[in-house]
Amino acid sequence: MIITKSKKQKLHQLFIILIPIFITQLGMFSMNFFDTTMSGHYSSNDLAGVAIGSSLWVPISTGLTGILISITPIVSQLIGAKQQKDVSQTVIQGLYVAVIMAVCIIVIGFLALEPLLNRMSLDPNVEKVAFEYLSALSFGIIPLFMYNAIRAFIDALGKTRVSMFITLSALPINIVLNYLLIFGKAGFPELGGVGTGYATTITYWVLLLIAILIVHKEMPFSSYSIFRGSYQIIKSKIIEILKIGVPIGLSIFFETSIFSAVTLFMSEFDTITIASHQVAMNFASLLYMIPLSISMTLTILVGFEIGAKRYQDAKQYSLLGIGVAILMACICGIIILAFRTEVAGLYSKDPEVIQLSVHFLLFALFFQLSDAIQAPIQGALRGYKDVNTTFYMSFLSYWIIGLPFGFLLAKYTELGPYGYWIGLIVGLAVGALSLLGRLLYIQRKKFVYRKARAS
């Protein structure tokens, strides 16, 4: 992390932080991408089963790990304010929070998963794959959450390349294990889509072990003595993490769960429709890694500048991030329009799935612009530690406006499953505009006032 003076320097610093984060996010997402595509090449039932399982797991995992994102702005502001001695305590308490959340999810899943799937009226083969996939994945929840806590610390120091290398080192393991366990190669059992759950679990343990070794032995991380200091529970630190993290986690949960809710509503349609919807949603999620990475970058940069009370620099980073995201959204929209048939063919060999996926992918075009606005703004607001408003706006735009509107279109018009996608687009647009208003208020009113007092 360096102090920048000009917009050119800021743009350079933004990309220095952004590119490794993007590659890291792409690597993490690729695990789900390969789970989906490789399951689809095994059978449509396995693709649908993994899709249902992912739809239940992704909003829960991203929402709860979103709580751990609070470690990033907390540590960034501590470093910006030159209070490095408090960093170790924050990370250790974050790891405690990670383990407690993971154990709670495992217990709840053990009690609620089977009854929930039974209520969804799924094809028995699809239900079986979904249940066994999630059961296999449960063994990786604790290492996944702990890794995300450590990664938040690594990224807060601006060492995003380290997170990138950790993820890229584990990705080939995930792909090879998928191949062995899905198709039963080299003497391994042929598990179909369920094999992706075991492959991902093993990969999560590898990620955690590599991250612990690096933080313990390599500079500058080892200088903070994360695993050599006090291990006592510090109530005030845990409260600080939860106070910032819970609104972040809930806002992420409301955003991701809306997509999962739509997939679950899709269970009333046939297996081809579920699989085709998942193809388009998975690819749209892949493209979302760009604005999401910009969001995470802005949390680091804005948090660093706010910690040092350089409010104008924080504002410039926010505007640069949004501009880059909008430009990339336009490029991604062109890619979808030009290559949607080829994209669908990556996920399935079934002609019916490919044909229907092409239609769903057209709606993904409209996701791009809204995501390009709302995701970077969320990241900037987290850097300001302004998280409660984002939580309320996410709930309103997605669950009060987007989902009900999509449900009405799907049930009472001829749009059918496409109605849900239109509802999602409307919800994303409302969320983007409301968050933009909040960011402008923060920058023009709240932090200008603080600057005047400081002078």
Side-chain angles (χ1 to χ4, degrees):
M1 298 292 291
I2 61 172
I3 299 174
T4 55
K5 301 297 184 181
S6 66
K7 289 183 179 179
K8 183 178 179 180
Q9 289 178 332
K10 285 181 172 59
L11 188 62
H12 181 262
Q13 176 75 348
L14 187 146
F15 276 103
I16 289 293
I17 304 293
L18 168 62
I19 292 174
I21 287 181
F22 173 65
I23 296 174
T24 302
Q25 288 302 120
L26 202 59
M28 293 294 291
F29 178 84
S30 293
M31 295 181 193
N32 180 259
F33 174 80
F34 285 110
D35 286 354
T36 305
T37 55
M38 296 176 78
S39 296
H41 284 283
Y42 187 79
S43 78
S44 294
N45 281 333
D46 284 82
L47 173 58
V50 172
I52 294 295
S54 295
S55 297
L56 292 172
W57 167 240
V58 168
I60 294 172
S61 64
T62 53
L64 289 177
T65 55
I67 294 174
L68 303 173
I69 291 177
S70 62
I71 297 172
T72 299
I74 292 172
V75 172
S76 291
Q77 290 200 16
L78 287 173
I79 294 172
K82 301 187 184 303
Q83 298 175 5
Q84 285 87 344
K85 65 181 184 302
D86 294 329
V87 170
S88 176
Q89 291 181 345
T90 298
V91 178
I92 289 296
Q93 304 310 305
L95 287 169
Y96 290 152
V97 172
V99 172
I100 293 170
M101 290 193 305
V103 171
C104 289
I105 287 301
I106 293 171
V107 173
I108 293 171
F110 178 77
L111 297 174
L113 178 58
E114 189 171 2
L116 177 60
L117 290 173
N118 288 337
R119 293 176 61 88
M120 292 174 61
S121 302
L122 297 169
D123 178 282
N125 292 324
V126 173
E127 181 179 337
K128 182 176 184 294
V129 171
F131 178 81
E132 293 183 0
Y133 165 78
L134 289 171
S135 298
L137 202 60
S138 67
F139 294 101
I141 295 177
I142 290 177
L144 173 65
F145 282 24
M146 292 182 67
Y147 168 70
N148 276 285
I150 295 173
R151 181 191 163 188
F153 160 64
I154 293 172
D155 288 348
L157 270 62
K159 303 298 181 181
T160 52
R161 287 189 179 184
V162 175
S163 298
M164 177 186 72
F165 286 125
I166 294 173
T167 302
L168 292 182
S169 65
L171 181 58
I173 298 174
N174 179 253
I175 296 172
V176 171
L177 288 173
N178 268 350
Y179 178 72
L180 296 175
L181 293 172
I182 292 174
F183 300 102
K185 302 297 183 180
F188 284 83
E190 184 178 340
L191 301 176
V194 177
T196 65
Y198 289 108
T200 302
T201 287
I202 295 171
T203 305
Y204 287 158
W205 280 104
V206 172
L207 283 171
L208 175 62
L209 292 174
I210 295 174
I212 289 175
L213 286 174
I214 289 176
V215 167
H216 184 63
K217 293 187 175 182
E218 299 295 327
M219 291 291 291
F221 315 111
S222 60
S223 64
Y224 291 89
S225 302
I226 300 299
F227 300 111
R228 293 191 291 268
S230 173
Y231 293 98
Q232 65 180 342
I233 294 177
I234 303 175
K235 185 178 178 180
S236 61
K237 285 290 183 182
I238 290 180
I239 291 175
E240 181 183 16
I241 291 171
L242 293 177
K243 184 178 180 180
I244 298 172
V246 169
I248 293 175
L250 287 174
S251 64
I252 292 174
F253 173 77
F254 287 139
E255 181 178 352
T256 55
S257 62
I258 192 72
F259 295 99
S260 297
V262 168
T263 299
L264 298 180
F265 279 126
M266 287 282 185
S267 63
E268 68 178 277
F269 299 101
D270 57 34
T271 300
I272 296 297
T273 301
I274 296 174
S276 302
H277 161 80
Q278 182 64 16
V279 166
M281 189 62 71
N282 190 265
F283 188 71
S285 299
L286 172 63
L287 296 181
Y288 179 65
M289 293 302 102
I290 299 174
L292 176 62
S293 300
I294 294 173
S295 172
M296 298 174 72
T297 302
L298 291 181
T299 298
I300 297 168
L301 294 172
V302 171
F304 177 71
E305 299 296 348
I306 292 300
K309 302 187 184 301
R310 293 187 292 268
Y311 303 133
Q312 185 61 27
D313 294 272
K315 180 178 180 180
Q316 289 178 351
Y317 272 125
S318 302
L319 296 176
L320 284 172
I322 295 170
V324 171
I326 292 174
L327 175 62
M328 295 305 298
C330 294
I331 296 173
C332 290
I334 294 172
I335 292 173
I336 293 176
L337 188 62
F339 300 104
R340 58 190 185 279
T341 301
E342 289 79 5
V343 167
L346 292 174
Y347 288 85
S348 177
K349 296 178 181 178
D350 189 326
E352 291 184 87
V353 173
I354 293 174
Q355 183 179 7
L356 192 55
S357 298
V358 167
H359 294 296
F360 279 120
L361 281 167
L362 287 174
F363 288 92
L365 278 168
F366 299 96
F367 282 12
Q368 304 309 307
L369 184 59
S370 295
D371 281 336
I373 297 173
Q374 63 93 12
I377 291 176
Q378 284 184 352
L381 289 173
R382 289 165 191 159
Y384 284 105
K385 289 188 179 178
D386 185 84
V387 293
N388 289 317
T389 304
T390 302
F391 153 57
Y392 295 125
M393 289 178 176
S394 296
F395 178 72
L396 175 66
S397 59
Y398 299 135
W399 285 90
I400 303 301
I401 298 175
L403 183 60
F405 184 59
F407 179 81
L408 291 174
L409 290 178
K411 287 291 186 181
Y412 300 107
T413 73
E414 296 180 355
L415 290 169
Y418 302 119
Y420 288 115
W421 281 70
I422 295 174
L424 291 176
I425 292 167
V426 172
L428 283 170
V430 171
L433 292 175
S434 59
L435 287 173
L436 178 60
R438 178 61 181 179
L439 180 63
L440 293 175
Y441 168 78
I442 288 291
Q443 292 177 337
R444 293 178 179 177
K445 302 291 184 180
K446 193 172 180 181
F447 277 88
V448 169
Y449 175 69
R450 288 185 178 181
K451 184 178 180 181
R453 288 186 63 184
S455 61

